[in-house]
Amino acid sequence: MKLVELPAFADNYLWLWQQDDQAVVVDPGDAAPVLQALAREGLILTAILVTHHHADHVGGVDELRAATGAQVFGPARENIPQPFTPVMAGEPLSLLGQHIDVLDVPGHTAGHVAYFLPHAEPSPVLFCGDTLFSGGCGRLFEGTPAQMLASLDALAALPADTQVCCAHEYTLSNLRFALAVDPRNTDLQAYQIHCQNLRAQGRPTLPARLGTELQINPFLRARHPDVRHAVAQHAGLDAKTQADDVAVFAALRQWKNDFQ
Ligand code: ZN
Ligand code: FE
Protein backbone atom coordinates (compact mmCIF):
# COMPACT_ATOMS: atom_id res chain seq x y z
CA MET A 1 0.00 0.00 0.00
CA LYS A 2 1.07 3.56 -0.64
CA LEU A 3 0.60 6.35 1.93
CA VAL A 4 0.54 10.00 0.87
CA GLU A 5 0.05 12.95 3.19
CA LEU A 6 -1.92 15.79 1.64
CA PRO A 7 -1.21 19.10 3.43
CA ALA A 8 -4.28 21.20 4.25
CA PHE A 9 -4.94 24.41 6.18
CA ALA A 10 -1.95 25.59 8.25
CA ASP A 11 -0.67 22.26 9.54
CA ASN A 12 -3.15 19.41 8.86
CA TYR A 13 -2.36 16.27 6.93
CA LEU A 14 -5.13 14.39 5.15
CA TRP A 15 -3.83 10.86 4.73
CA LEU A 16 -4.47 9.18 1.41
CA TRP A 17 -3.97 5.43 1.39
CA GLN A 18 -3.71 3.96 -2.12
CA GLN A 19 -3.97 0.42 -3.41
CA ASP A 20 -3.80 -0.02 -7.21
CA ASP A 21 -6.38 2.42 -8.62
CA GLN A 22 -8.36 2.80 -5.40
CA ALA A 23 -7.90 5.05 -2.40
CA VAL A 24 -9.16 5.72 1.11
CA VAL A 25 -8.79 9.13 2.72
CA VAL A 26 -8.59 9.75 6.45
CA ASP A 27 -10.01 12.91 8.07
CA PRO A 28 -10.64 15.07 4.99
CA GLY A 29 -11.07 18.48 6.56
CA ASP A 30 -11.00 19.92 3.04
CA ALA A 31 -12.17 18.24 -0.19
CA ALA A 32 -10.03 20.21 -2.65
CA PRO A 33 -6.60 18.63 -2.03
CA VAL A 34 -8.19 15.17 -2.06
CA LEU A 35 -10.03 15.76 -5.35
CA GLN A 36 -6.81 17.12 -6.89
CA ALA A 37 -4.84 14.06 -5.78
CA LEU A 38 -7.51 11.65 -7.07
CA ALA A 39 -7.51 13.38 -10.49
CA ARG A 40 -3.72 13.58 -10.68
CA GLU A 41 -3.22 9.91 -9.80
CA GLY A 42 -6.34 8.58 -11.58
CA LEU A 43 -7.74 7.10 -8.36
CA ILE A 44 -11.24 6.05 -7.31
CA LEU A 45 -12.12 7.06 -3.75
CA THR A 46 -13.62 3.98 -2.10
CA ALA A 47 -14.05 5.17 1.47
CA ILE A 48 -13.60 8.04 3.90
CA LEU A 49 -12.43 7.28 7.46
CA VAL A 50 -13.10 9.82 10.19
CA THR A 51 -11.41 9.76 13.60
CA HIS A 52 -13.43 12.49 15.35
CA HIS A 53 -15.94 15.27 14.75
CA HIS A 54 -13.77 18.42 14.58
CA ALA A 55 -14.24 20.61 11.51
CA ASP A 56 -10.62 20.31 10.35
CA HIS A 57 -11.24 16.53 10.08
CA VAL A 58 -14.76 16.39 8.58
CA GLY A 59 -15.08 19.68 6.64
CA GLY A 60 -14.63 18.01 3.25
CA VAL A 61 -16.74 14.91 3.90
CA ASP A 62 -20.01 16.06 2.29
CA GLU A 63 -18.33 17.37 -0.86
CA LEU A 64 -16.19 14.24 -1.26
CA ARG A 65 -19.12 11.90 -0.67
CA ALA A 66 -21.19 13.77 -3.26
CA ALA A 67 -18.34 13.90 -5.80
CA THR A 68 -17.17 10.29 -5.48
CA GLY A 69 -19.90 8.22 -3.81
CA ALA A 70 -17.34 7.03 -1.26
CA GLN A 71 -18.72 5.35 1.86
CA VAL A 72 -18.05 7.30 5.06
CA PHE A 73 -17.01 5.53 8.27
CA GLY A 74 -16.80 7.28 11.62
CA PRO A 75 -17.11 6.83 15.36
CA ALA A 76 -20.63 5.82 16.37
CA ARG A 77 -20.67 8.23 19.30
CA GLU A 78 -19.66 11.37 17.41
CA ASN A 79 -21.55 13.87 15.32
CA ILE A 80 -20.18 13.09 11.83
CA PRO A 81 -21.84 14.48 8.66
CA GLN A 82 -24.68 12.06 7.79
CA PRO A 83 -25.03 9.55 6.28
CA PHE A 84 -22.11 7.57 7.68
CA THR A 85 -21.47 3.99 8.75
CA PRO A 86 -20.70 3.88 12.48
CA VAL A 87 -17.58 1.96 13.51
CA MET A 88 -17.14 0.32 16.89
CA ALA A 89 -14.04 -0.96 18.62
CA GLY A 90 -13.83 -4.72 18.25
CA GLU A 91 -16.01 -4.82 15.12
CA PRO A 92 -13.94 -5.93 12.15
CA LEU A 93 -13.59 -3.60 9.18
CA SER A 94 -11.84 -4.28 5.90
CA LEU A 95 -11.05 -1.85 3.07
CA LEU A 96 -8.87 -2.23 -0.05
CA GLY A 97 -7.99 -5.75 1.10
CA GLN A 98 -6.65 -4.51 4.45
CA HIS A 99 -7.95 -5.61 7.81
CA ILE A 100 -8.57 -2.60 10.08
CA ASP A 101 -8.80 -2.64 13.86
CA VAL A 102 -10.91 0.18 15.26
CA LEU A 103 -9.52 1.43 18.58
CA ASP A 104 -11.42 3.59 21.08
CA VAL A 105 -9.10 6.44 22.07
CA PRO A 106 -11.18 9.00 24.01
CA GLY A 107 -9.49 12.10 25.43
CA HIS A 108 -9.21 14.76 22.71
CA THR A 109 -12.91 14.16 22.04
CA ALA A 110 -15.28 11.79 23.84
CA GLY A 111 -15.76 9.34 20.97
CA HIS A 112 -12.41 9.62 19.17
CA VAL A 113 -11.33 6.43 17.37
CA ALA A 114 -8.07 5.35 15.71
CA TYR A 115 -7.67 2.97 12.79
CA PHE A 116 -4.90 0.37 12.93
CA LEU A 117 -3.84 -1.72 9.91
CA PRO A 118 -1.79 -4.58 11.41
CA HIS A 119 -0.94 -6.28 8.10
CA ALA A 120 0.06 -3.23 6.05
CA GLU A 121 3.34 -3.48 4.13
CA PRO A 122 6.12 -2.74 4.78
CA SER A 123 4.93 -2.22 8.37
CA PRO A 124 1.68 -1.64 10.29
CA VAL A 125 -0.09 1.69 9.94
CA LEU A 126 -1.95 3.74 12.54
CA PHE A 127 -4.27 6.64 11.72
CA CYS A 128 -4.64 8.31 15.10
CA GLY A 129 -6.22 11.69 14.31
CA ASP A 130 -5.56 14.16 17.13
CA THR A 131 -4.83 11.58 19.86
CA LEU A 132 -1.09 11.02 19.40
CA PHE A 133 1.23 13.51 17.71
CA SER A 134 4.92 13.09 17.12
CA GLY A 135 6.45 14.33 20.36
CA GLY A 136 3.05 15.20 21.82
CA CYS A 137 -0.64 14.40 22.21
CA GLY A 138 -3.95 16.10 21.56
CA ARG A 139 -5.51 18.61 23.89
CA LEU A 140 -8.16 17.32 26.26
CA PHE A 141 -11.26 19.07 24.94
CA GLU A 142 -13.85 16.49 26.00
CA GLY A 143 -12.08 13.70 27.84
CA THR A 144 -10.26 13.32 31.13
CA PRO A 145 -6.53 12.84 31.73
CA ALA A 146 -7.28 9.25 32.83
CA GLN A 147 -9.03 8.56 29.51
CA MET A 148 -6.21 10.08 27.46
CA LEU A 149 -3.55 8.19 29.41
CA ALA A 150 -5.42 4.92 28.81
CA SER A 151 -5.80 5.76 25.11
CA LEU A 152 -2.08 6.51 24.75
CA ASP A 153 -1.25 3.31 26.66
CA ALA A 154 -3.30 1.34 24.10
CA LEU A 155 -1.45 2.98 21.20
CA ALA A 156 1.93 2.49 22.91
CA ALA A 157 1.26 -1.26 23.00
CA LEU A 158 1.13 -1.52 19.19
CA PRO A 159 4.18 -2.90 17.33
CA ALA A 160 7.28 -0.70 17.50
CA ASP A 161 7.56 -0.53 13.70
CA THR A 162 4.05 0.95 13.34
CA GLN A 163 3.93 3.99 11.05
CA VAL A 164 2.08 6.64 13.04
CA CYS A 165 0.01 8.89 10.76
CA CYS A 166 -0.91 11.91 12.87
CA ALA A 167 -3.30 14.57 11.60
CA HIS A 168 -1.07 17.60 12.29
CA GLU A 169 2.52 18.69 11.66
CA TYR A 170 3.12 19.83 15.23
CA THR A 171 6.40 17.97 15.67
CA LEU A 172 8.94 20.78 16.06
CA SER A 173 6.90 22.73 18.60
CA ASN A 174 6.14 19.50 20.46
CA LEU A 175 9.84 18.66 20.59
CA ARG A 176 10.66 22.09 22.02
CA PHE A 177 8.33 21.28 24.91
CA ALA A 178 9.61 17.70 25.16
CA LEU A 179 13.15 18.99 25.63
CA ALA A 180 12.01 21.34 28.39
CA VAL A 181 10.60 18.29 30.21
CA ASP A 182 13.26 15.74 29.32
CA PRO A 183 16.44 17.71 28.51
CA ARG A 184 18.94 14.88 29.06
CA ASN A 185 17.18 12.46 26.69
CA THR A 186 19.80 11.92 23.96
CA ASP A 187 17.31 10.14 21.65
CA LEU A 188 15.12 13.22 21.89
CA GLN A 189 18.03 15.57 21.14
CA ALA A 190 18.94 13.55 18.04
CA TYR A 191 15.33 13.32 16.90
CA GLN A 192 14.91 17.10 17.10
CA ILE A 193 17.89 17.57 14.76
CA HIS A 194 16.49 14.93 12.41
CA CYS A 195 13.08 16.64 12.30
CA GLN A 196 14.57 20.13 11.92
CA ASN A 197 16.45 18.86 8.86
CA LEU A 198 13.27 17.37 7.38
CA ARG A 199 11.33 20.60 7.87
CA ALA A 200 14.20 22.70 6.48
CA GLN A 201 13.83 20.63 3.30
CA GLY A 202 10.05 21.18 3.30
CA ARG A 203 9.44 17.52 4.11
CA PRO A 204 6.92 16.14 6.62
CA THR A 205 8.15 14.59 9.87
CA LEU A 206 5.40 11.98 9.49
CA PRO A 207 4.65 9.13 9.54
CA ALA A 208 6.51 8.80 12.82
CA ARG A 209 7.74 5.41 14.00
CA LEU A 210 6.03 4.23 17.18
CA GLY A 211 9.27 2.84 18.62
CA THR A 212 10.84 6.30 18.28
CA GLU A 213 7.83 7.93 19.96
CA LEU A 214 8.26 5.59 22.93
CA GLN A 215 11.78 6.97 23.31
CA ILE A 216 11.09 10.68 22.80
CA ASN A 217 7.43 11.55 23.43
CA PRO A 218 6.94 12.78 27.03
CA PHE A 219 3.25 11.84 26.94
CA LEU A 220 4.23 8.20 26.25
CA ARG A 221 6.96 8.49 28.90
CA ALA A 222 4.91 10.03 31.69
CA ARG A 223 5.86 7.14 33.99
CA HIS A 224 9.58 7.45 33.29
CA PRO A 225 11.41 8.63 36.44
CA ASP A 226 13.02 11.61 34.63
CA VAL A 227 9.69 12.83 33.25
CA ARG A 228 7.87 12.18 36.52
CA HIS A 229 10.52 14.13 38.41
CA ALA A 230 10.45 17.09 36.00
CA VAL A 231 6.65 17.30 36.16
CA ALA A 232 6.65 17.06 39.96
CA GLN A 233 9.21 19.88 40.16
CA HIS A 234 7.37 22.07 37.67
CA ALA A 235 3.92 21.59 39.19
CA GLY A 236 5.08 21.38 42.80
CA LEU A 237 3.49 17.95 43.32
CA ASP A 238 3.77 16.38 46.77
CA ALA A 239 5.16 12.86 47.11
CA LYS A 240 1.73 11.21 47.15
CA THR A 241 0.53 13.01 44.00
CA GLN A 242 3.86 12.33 42.32
CA ALA A 243 3.20 8.60 42.69
CA ASP A 244 -0.17 8.87 40.92
CA ASP A 245 0.24 8.22 37.16
CA VAL A 246 -2.93 10.07 36.19
CA ALA A 247 -2.07 13.11 38.32
CA VAL A 248 1.40 13.29 36.77
CA PHE A 249 -0.05 12.94 33.28
CA ALA A 250 -2.63 15.68 34.00
CA ALA A 251 0.10 18.02 35.26
CA LEU A 252 2.24 17.26 32.20
CA ARG A 253 -0.66 18.08 29.85
CA GLN A 254 -1.33 21.30 31.78
CA TRP A 255 2.37 22.24 31.54
CA LYS A 256 2.16 21.82 27.75
CA ASN A 257 -1.02 23.93 27.60
CA ASP A 258 0.81 26.77 29.37
CA PHE A 259 4.14 26.35 27.57
CA GLN A 260 5.30 29.22 25.34
ZN1 ZN B 1 -9.31 17.66 16.70
FE1 FE C 1 -7.26 18.48 14.27
Side-chain angles (χ1 to χ4, degrees):
M1 65 180 274
K2 184 178 167 192
L3 272 177
V4 179
E5 68 290 307
L6 305 174
F9 311 119
D11 51 35
N12 282 74
Y13 291 127
L14 322 181
W15 289 95
L16 194 70
W17 147 28
Q18 303 177 26
Q19 185 69 51
D20 304 316
D21 64 345
Q22 298 192 34
V24 170
V25 71
V26 184
D27 285 352
D30 187 7
V34 183
L35 292 170
Q36 285 163 16
L38 295 173
R40 188 174 64 232
E41 307 274 329
L43 296 166
I44 298 159
L45 191 69
T46 302
I48 299 168
L49 295 177
V50 174
T51 63
H52 68 292
H53 68 85
H54 286 160
D56 63 314
H57 299 251
V58 302
V61 165
D62 284 335
E63 187 180 342
L64 280 177
R65 189 200 298 103
T68 66
Q71 188 176 1
V72 181
F73 297 86
R77 296 170 55 214
E78 299 231 334
N79 186 16
I80 307 299
Q82 297 278 359
F84 76 99
T85 304
V87 296
M88 302 275 273
E91 286 185 6
L93 180 64
S94 178
L95 291 169
L96 306 188
Q98 285 286 339
H99 173 80
I100 302 170
D101 286 327
V102 178
L103 310 173
D104 272 328
V105 286
H108 178 69
T109 64
H112 201 303
V113 298
Y115 299 94
F116 178 59
L117 285 57
H119 309 304
E121 293 291 342
S123 67
V125 171
L126 174 69
F127 299 110
C128 53
D130 288 353
T131 298
L132 175 62
F133 296 123
S134 184
C137 76
R139 282 178 184 268
L140 303 181
F141 286 120
E142 298 172 10
T144 64
Q147 284 179 316
M148 186 56 127
L149 180 59
S151 295
L152 293 177
D153 283 344
L155 299 183
L158 297 174
D161 62 349
T162 297
Q163 305 175 70
V164 183
C165 301
C166 318
H168 291 269
E169 179 63 69
Y170 288 158
T171 311
L172 291 185
S173 67
N174 285 341
L175 294 179
R176 244 180 3 95
F177 173 71
L179 278 161
V181 174
D182 201 6
R184 285 190 300 276
N185 182 336
T186 53
D187 295 319
L188 175 55
Q189 295 162 7
Y191 189 62
Q192 184 189 41
I193 292 167
H194 171 72
C195 291
Q196 284 170 337
N197 287 336
L198 288 173
R199 297 306 292 150
Q201 297 166 43
R203 291 164 62 192
T205 60
L206 304 172
R209 189 178 167 282
L210 184 63
T212 304
E213 292 302 311
L214 295 174
Q215 293 173 323
I216 62 96
N217 188 322
F219 294 94
L220 299 182
R221 291 164 50 79
R223 295 181 186 85
H224 188 285
D226 291 353
V227 172
R228 192 184 288 273
H229 179 74
V231 172
Q233 289 264 305
H234 176 83
L237 304 182
D238 61 32
K240 182 166 172 285
T241 311
Q242 196 182 143
D244 177 339
D245 291 344
V246 172
V248 170
F249 182 83
L252 175 64
R253 185 58 252 185
Q254 188 58 48
W255 185 1
K256 174 70 165 70
N257 293 349
D258 300 336
F259 188 74
Q260 298 296 328

